[in-house]
Amino acid sequence: MYKKQSSEVVSELNSNAKNGLNTNDISALQQKYGKNQLEEHKKETLLVKFFKEFADVLIIILLIAAVVSLIVDIHEWVDAVVIFVVVILNAVLGVIQEARAEKSLEALKKMSSPECKVIRNGVTDKIPSSELVIGDIILIEAGDFIPADARLIDAVNLQVDESALTGESLPVSKITDAITSETTALGDRKNMVFSSTFVTNGRGKAVVTAIGMKTEIGKIAGMLGAQKNEPTPLQNKLTQVGKVIGIISIFICLGVFALDFFLLNGMQSSHLVQSFKLAVALAVAAIPEGLATVVTIVLAIGVNKMVKENAIVKKLPAVETLGSTSIVCSDKTGTLTQNKMTVLEVYNQKCKLLSDLSEEDYTLINYFSICCDAKIEIIDGVEKRIGDPTETALVELNNKYGTDISWAERVGEIPFDSDRKLMTVVIKKDDKYISITKGAPDVLLKRLNNAEVSDILVAIKNMSERALRVLALGIKVFDEMPTVDETLENNLEFVGLVGMIDPPRPEVMDAIKVAKRAGVRTIMITGDNIITATAIAKQLGIIDEGQRALLSDELDAMSDDELRSRIEEFSVYARVAPKDKVRIVEAWQSKGKVVAMTGDGVNDSPALKKADIGCAMGITGTDVSKEAADMILTDDNFTTIIKSVKQGRGIYANIRKCVKYLLSSNIGEVLVILLAEVIAAFGLVKGMAIPLASIHLLWINLVTDSLPAFGLGMEKPEDGVMLEKPRPKNENFFAQRLGLHIALEGVMVGLLTLGSYIVGVIYFDHGVASTMAFVTLAFTQLFHSYNVKSERSVVSKSTLDNKFLNLAFVLGVVMQLSVVYIPGINTIFQTQSLNGYQLLISVGFAFSIIVIMEVYKLIAKLISKNK
């Protein structure tokens, strides 16, 4: 529509520029085009979300084990109830933490204007914007939200803030002429107005060309709805862990059941129940019931830490995802920059920084401020900037460096016009009248009274090359009040120039340096022009040698395959549309990169949702961007992202520690039962039976294991974590020999526990031996938590610096001794009170793991030194 004359558009839509549509046609048009509102997608109910929590291999195996144990022996209900309670608690916790309503589309709807002015039957009326139809003639003025996409028919000093849609910080001056360019970015369609943008100045008349989901804002809503919530790297890796454990558990359970029932017991029906109990015990032993809860709570702890770092995380796994981030795609306006136009230089015969101004520059600064309609006020202690950002920058310049201008009495004015590119005011000073004209340098210089402009042109070029927006100012002095018309803007006396820019945030440069050292690359994506974007990027250190900026038109001309193959060439994207941002994110993801996307506007929302981790700005961000994102930066500070990356890396390391710690226990439990079964089958030790009951294993997995695991989750990120490169997106969770360490440590746990049981069987009886094995297994894990805490020796200053782990150790000891020695409780847990000698043997076996791991760490350290 922007390529056609407005009269053509009106005619094509069967409307009338003067009288609008006929009300008799409205109902038919509404039936044809629908309502001017955004569609809502069906949301999952809480019940559906609850049941989806059970779609996990480990949970299914546990539930089967519980049901089988009830069927086999209804009197063994305690184990089954414990399993059911654990599974349900995990599901409830998952729903509470993860079930967040998809509010992005609702936020988009809130941005729409509830009412609008429309001409129908030649009469101007106010109607709900949802009732607009294509072809309606709407009237807009300063202060209005635009209710639909429309082609302008008339525009008088019309300026529209489109930053939420395009990312461009300055209001756009609108025109009515057709635009003939073959390719025109959204921000350059100056004869169009778009739904949910805001009129800052002037007035206009337009014919509606698109409503509802067909508007530019509607297309964004469609992209948001089409985006799937992709699982995070952590979720994928934990699913991988679950599948591996699940498959192993099934084979172990089936194999042991077959061994026990078919071979060892000769398929005697009297042993069927016993074999089933053994298989259930193994299932419980193999599955880390507390893993999901521990990981969830470790992530929740990380979320609390992030709040203190000015970051609100909406989805728990997003904390860890940040730690593996390798690409940060950042919006420029308001994220890397301050979203506040600021004057950096003035030209008064020569260019000067603001720190070098002298009294002779006051007049220039005063005149620029006088020729403005904007103002800066302090309301309830908060600074409010009212008006065009360029003009508020000039007012701020005078407030800081100029003198009082309250003496200036405005007696006439010619408003800014996008065709003239000038604004003029007339003031009375003493007995003289002064007309002050400010505007685009290329226009104003042509209207000077034969001034020498060569030096001025050099100054303008120097400022422009540094991406400064340049304004020029000229005056005329009269003895009498002049006629206020465009002749005032001819034969001007040149006064000076100002150069302004939306400056980078001062702390961002250091944050980008830290990110580079951590192997994290920053990409600037902006709706602003390429010259400004490139200048800011170079200043911040975003563009390195061999990298360059790319325009939206060039990006459009690339196929997806070409973009993927060349994506590493580009560090800056200018004049981009919302779909461009999604393409850029997808191209990086196709390279196996974990992509974070920052932004604050509606235009950023689809990319925020598509990215592995979407970071919205909390102060300047729209509701839409906040709801589409995984994380909200409450201080709008790019540095917070880098701090969050550090926290994320630390949290991932802690989760690996927790998994290592918990799975080594599970392997130990399985090994104890398997080896005891084999020893008993071959009669190697008289009196051998199943060393540990199911309730023992549940207690270990849920209590004495989980408490230290929570403590490990509270570990601070280690020094040097930001000097490491990001983890590959598809890196196996058990990479860097984690799987081998878990297996070896699990064997140690199992052998020490079995050793304690065998000593108990030989010198006492099965009941005492089972309790000794139970105590040894619990205490082995409690001691082992300090081995897992760090690769360093436990004989160091940092061993006891985690007060949460120390508390967990003490609580674990007290609770374990309680289920052994408190009457009634020990009956439920099938334990017997141990005497001092028996307890000493049990704890001795358990403490051995500290000695063994110290020897191992020493050998590993010596090998590393030799290498």
Side-chain angles (χ1 to χ4, degrees):
M1 294 296 184
Y2 61 89
K3 293 183 179 181
K4 300 175 182 178
Q5 295 293 341
S6 59
S7 56
E8 291 180 69
V9 177
V10 172
S11 176
E12 189 177 311
L13 298 176
N14 299 315
S15 187
N16 184 291
K18 183 178 180 182
N19 298 320
L21 294 172
N22 191 312
T23 50
N24 296 329
D25 301 328
I26 300 301
S27 58
L29 288 167
Q30 283 181 340
Q31 213 166 18
K32 180 179 179 181
Y33 296 114
K35 288 274 191 181
N36 181 31
Q37 56 191 26
L38 301 176
E39 295 173 3
E40 289 189 32
H41 292 264
K42 190 176 180 181
K43 298 169 185 173
E44 290 179 345
T45 63
L46 281 176
L47 190 63
V48 170
K49 289 178 180 178
F50 177 75
F51 282 115
K52 283 180 76 172
E53 291 291 326
F54 295 92
D56 180 271
V57 176
L58 298 183
I59 298 297
I60 292 169
I61 294 172
L62 268 180
L63 289 173
I64 292 171
V67 171
V68 168
S69 67
L70 281 175
I71 293 172
V72 170
D73 188 351
I74 194 68
H75 299 294
E76 297 287 336
W77 59 270
V78 175
D79 293 353
V81 168
V82 171
I83 291 173
F84 285 133
V85 169
V86 168
V87 169
I88 291 169
L89 282 175
N90 274 336
V92 170
L93 187 59
V95 170
I96 290 171
Q97 295 288 4
E98 300 296 344
R100 294 186 176 272
E102 181 56 78
K103 296 179 183 177
S104 297
L105 299 183
E106 291 176 17
L108 281 163
K109 287 179 70 178
K110 288 176 187 175
M111 289 188 65
S112 302
S113 175
E115 287 190 327
C116 61
K117 291 186 284 291
V118 63
I119 300 174
R120 288 179 178 174
N121 294 326
V123 178
T124 302
D125 194 11
K126 252 188 183 180
I127 64 168
S129 59
S130 60
E131 294 181 10
L132 273 182
V133 295
I134 291 176
D136 260 326
I137 305 297
I138 57 172
L139 300 175
I140 52 177
E141 60 185 13
D144 288 346
F145 273 103
I146 293 168
D149 288 4
R151 171 69 164 84
L152 284 165
I153 300 169
D154 294 321
V156 180
N157 300 326
L158 183 65
Q159 291 185 308
V160 180
D161 182 349
E162 296 179 346
S163 60
L165 184 63
T166 66
E168 188 165 0
S169 54
L170 295 173
V172 179
S173 296
K174 294 296 182 178
I175 61 174
T176 57
D177 296 335
I179 297 172
T180 56
S181 302
E182 283 300 316
T183 54
T184 307
L186 196 64
D188 293 326
R189 297 174 193 173
K190 296 185 177 181
N191 56 10
M192 299 288 295
V193 288
F194 302 104
S195 175
S196 300
T197 58
F198 182 76
V199 181
T200 60
N201 191 56
R203 54 186 171 81
K205 179 195 285 188
V207 57
V208 174
T209 57
I211 60 172
M213 297 299 288
K214 300 295 184 184
T215 61
E216 294 300 326
I217 205 92
K219 291 173 186 175
I220 294 174
M223 282 191 272
L224 279 174
Q227 297 290 347
K228 294 181 180 177
N229 286 320
E230 300 290 339
T232 67
L234 178 63
Q235 287 172 318
N236 287 331
K237 286 163 185 168
L238 290 180
T239 300
Q240 173 193 12
V241 172
K243 285 179 180 177
V244 170
I245 295 171
I247 292 168
I248 293 172
S249 300
I250 290 171
F251 278 106
I252 289 176
C253 291
L254 292 176
V256 170
F257 175 79
L259 174 70
D260 192 73
F261 182 67
F262 292 104
L263 296 179
L264 300 182
N265 293 311
M267 295 178 63
Q268 296 178 28
S269 57
S270 58
H271 289 284
L272 182 63
V273 171
Q274 178 187 332
S275 299
F276 264 120
K277 284 183 177 180
L278 178 61
V280 170
L282 272 172
V284 173
I287 296 171
E289 291 84 355
L291 180 60
T293 305
V294 168
V295 170
T296 301
I297 292 176
V298 168
L299 288 171
I301 291 166
V303 167
N304 289 332
K305 287 182 180 178
M306 303 280 276
V307 170
K308 296 174 183 176
E309 298 284 358
N310 300 309
I312 298 172
V313 177
K314 293 167 58 184
K315 300 173 184 176
L316 290 185
V319 180
E320 179 276 332
T321 309
L322 268 168
S324 56
T325 297
S326 49
I327 301 293
V328 177
C329 292
S330 177
D331 183 43
K332 177 183 75 68
T333 305
T335 309
L336 297 173
T337 64
Q338 299 175 30
N339 197 19
K340 184 178 78 172
M341 293 301 289
T342 304
V343 176
L344 296 185
E345 295 179 11
V346 300
Y347 175 84
N348 184 3
Q349 298 182 344
K350 65 177 182 178
C351 281
K352 297 181 180 180
L353 296 173
L354 301 187
S355 57
D356 299 327
L357 297 180
S358 60
E359 289 191 20
E360 62 185 22
D361 301 308
Y362 290 162
T363 301
L364 169 65
I365 295 171
N366 287 165
Y367 283 167
F368 262 117
S369 183
I370 290 168
C371 192
C372 287
D373 291 325
K375 54 185 176 180
I376 299 175
E377 298 178 343
I378 304 297
I379 301 174
D380 297 329
V382 178
E383 182 186 274
K384 298 287 184 183
R385 293 170 171 252
I386 303 165
D388 181 272
T390 300
E391 292 196 341
T392 57
L394 296 173
V395 173
E396 181 181 50
L397 174 68
N398 188 70
N399 289 348
K400 288 184 177 180
Y401 299 98
T403 57
D404 179 45
I405 58 172
S406 59
W407 54 266
E409 179 189 355
R410 187 183 294 192
V411 293
E413 65 179 290
I414 305 174
F416 175 83
D417 179 83
S418 58
D419 292 328
R420 292 182 8 264
K421 297 183 179 178
L422 297 171
M423 174 184 176
T424 298
V425 299
V426 181
I427 62 169
K428 186 176 182 181
K429 184 177 182 182
D430 301 327
D431 56 349
K432 301 286 186 182
Y433 292 87
I434 305 172
S435 71
I436 305 170
T437 302
K438 80 171 192 301
D442 57 328
V443 176
L444 192 138
L445 293 188
K446 294 174 183 177
R447 299 174 179 242
L448 298 181
N449 53 4
N450 300 319
E452 175 57 51
V453 297
S454 57
D455 290 343
I456 301 171
L457 289 172
V458 171
I460 293 170
K461 183 182 177 184
N462 288 338
M463 288 183 180
S464 298
E465 286 175 347
R466 285 176 285 117
L468 298 184
R469 187 181 185 209
V470 184
L471 287 180
L473 187 131
I475 64 169
K476 288 172 74 173
V477 181
F478 302 89
D479 292 327
E480 296 180 353
M481 176 67 187
T483 303
V484 181
D485 58 25
E486 291 188 18
T487 60
L488 287 176
E489 296 173 342
N490 296 323
N491 298 313
L492 298 169
E493 177 190 338
F494 179 74
V495 180
L497 307 169
V498 291
M500 63 180 68
I501 198 170
D502 179 10
R505 291 177 175 271
E507 69 281 357
V508 167
M509 193 179 298
D510 288 336
I512 289 174
K513 286 179 182 175
V514 172
K516 279 185 178 180
R517 287 197 295 271
V520 180
R521 181 173 171 181
T522 305
I523 305 295
M524 180 193 287
I525 304 178
T526 178
D528 218 334
N529 69 72
I530 195 165
I531 296 173
T532 302
T534 303
I536 294 290
K538 285 180 178 177
Q539 191 175 343
L540 291 173
I542 290 174
I543 293 183
D544 289 333
E545 189 175 344
Q547 298 168 0
R548 67 185 189 91
L550 189 72
L551 267 172
S552 178
D553 292 347
E554 297 176 83
L555 182 59
D556 281 340
M558 286 185 183
S559 66
D560 289 342
D561 287 339
E562 185 182 2
L563 178 61
R564 282 194 288 269
S565 66
R566 299 182 59 192
I567 189 71
E568 295 185 13
E569 293 178 26
F570 312 115
S571 290
V572 175
Y573 298 85
R575 305 302 276 170
V576 294
K579 61 182 177 61
D580 297 330
K581 299 183 181 187
V582 174
R583 284 187 70 202
I584 294 163
V585 170
E586 288 176 338
W588 277 114
Q589 288 174 329
S590 72
K591 293 282 188 181
K593 303 294 186 181
V594 176
V595 182
M597 170 75 193
T598 71
D600 58 359
V602 177
N603 60 315
D604 299 318
S605 303
L608 286 172
K609 192 169 183 182
K610 177 62 182 174
D612 297 289
I613 172 78
C615 310
M617 301 297 115
I619 299 171
T620 59
T622 59
D623 287 343
V624 186
S625 63
K626 292 174 188 175
E627 294 301 335
D630 304 295
M631 185 173 83
I632 299 167
L633 308 180
T634 58
D635 59 354
D636 284 16
N637 195 328
F638 186 85
T639 307
T640 302
I641 301 168
I642 308 306
K643 291 179 182 176
S644 300
V645 169
K646 181 178 181 179
Q647 285 292 339
R649 291 185 176 188
I651 288 165
Y652 184 72
N654 289 347
I655 289 172
R656 277 172 57 94
K657 290 174 185 177
C658 291
V659 170
K660 177 182 180 181
Y661 173 71
L662 293 173
L663 293 189
S664 62
S665 174
N666 289 98
I667 289 173
E669 292 165 15
V670 170
L671 195 64
V672 168
I673 294 172
L674 279 176
L675 291 178
E677 177 73 5
V678 171
I679 291 170
F682 290 98
L684 298 177
V685 178
K686 189 177 180 181
M688 289 281 285
I690 301 175
L692 299 163
S694 295
I695 196 167
H696 294 163
L697 301 172
L698 282 169
W699 174 260
I700 295 289
N701 290 351
L702 296 174
V703 182
T704 55
D705 274 2
S706 295
L707 288 174
F710 296 146
L712 290 172
M714 299 291 282
E715 281 287 296
K716 295 177 182 177
E718 293 187 14
D719 295 337
V721 72
M722 289 301 282
L723 297 176
E724 301 169 5
K725 296 301 178 187
R727 297 185 311 279
K729 189 172 186 175
N730 299 320
E731 181 183 86
N732 189 294
F733 186 81
F734 297 102
Q736 301 170 37
R737 295 182 294 179
L738 177 65
L740 176 63
H741 290 164
I742 289 172
L744 292 175
E745 290 165 26
V747 169
M748 282 190 289
V749 171
L751 292 178
L752 291 171
T753 303
L754 184 64
S756 178
Y757 175 72
I758 290 173
V759 169
V761 166
I762 293 173
Y763 292 102
F764 308 107
D765 57 36
H766 169 72
V768 171
S770 177
T771 304
M772 287 175 65
F774 183 30
V775 170
T776 297
L777 181 59
F779 276 62
T780 299
Q781 283 301 98
L782 292 173
F783 286 127
H784 190 44
S785 64
Y786 287 96
N787 292 326
V788 176
K789 179 180 183 291
S790 173
E791 296 297 321
R792 295 189 293 268
S793 167
V794 295
V795 187
S796 67
K797 292 179 181 178
S798 62
T799 299
L800 299 177
D801 65 358
N802 187 334
K803 60 183 179 182
F804 301 99
L805 183 59
N806 299 337
L807 179 62
F809 180 87
V810 173
L811 282 174
V813 170
V814 171
M815 293 175 75
Q816 182 61 32
L817 294 177
S818 297
V819 299
V820 172
Y821 289 104
I822 296 178
I825 295 179
N826 59 7
T827 303
I828 296 172
F829 279 87
Q830 303 171 32
T831 59
Q832 296 182 18
S833 296
L834 301 178
N835 61 36
Y837 181 60
Q838 293 162 346
L839 180 62
L840 188 62
I841 293 172
S842 303
V843 174
F845 269 103
F847 187 78
S848 300
I849 198 165
I850 293 279
V851 178
I852 294 169
M853 287 301 298
E854 281 298 291
V855 172
Y856 170 80
K857 286 180 181 180
L858 180 61
I859 293 171
K861 188 176 180 181
L862 292 173
I863 292 172
S864 178
K865 276 187 177 180
N866 290 334
K867 284 185 178 179

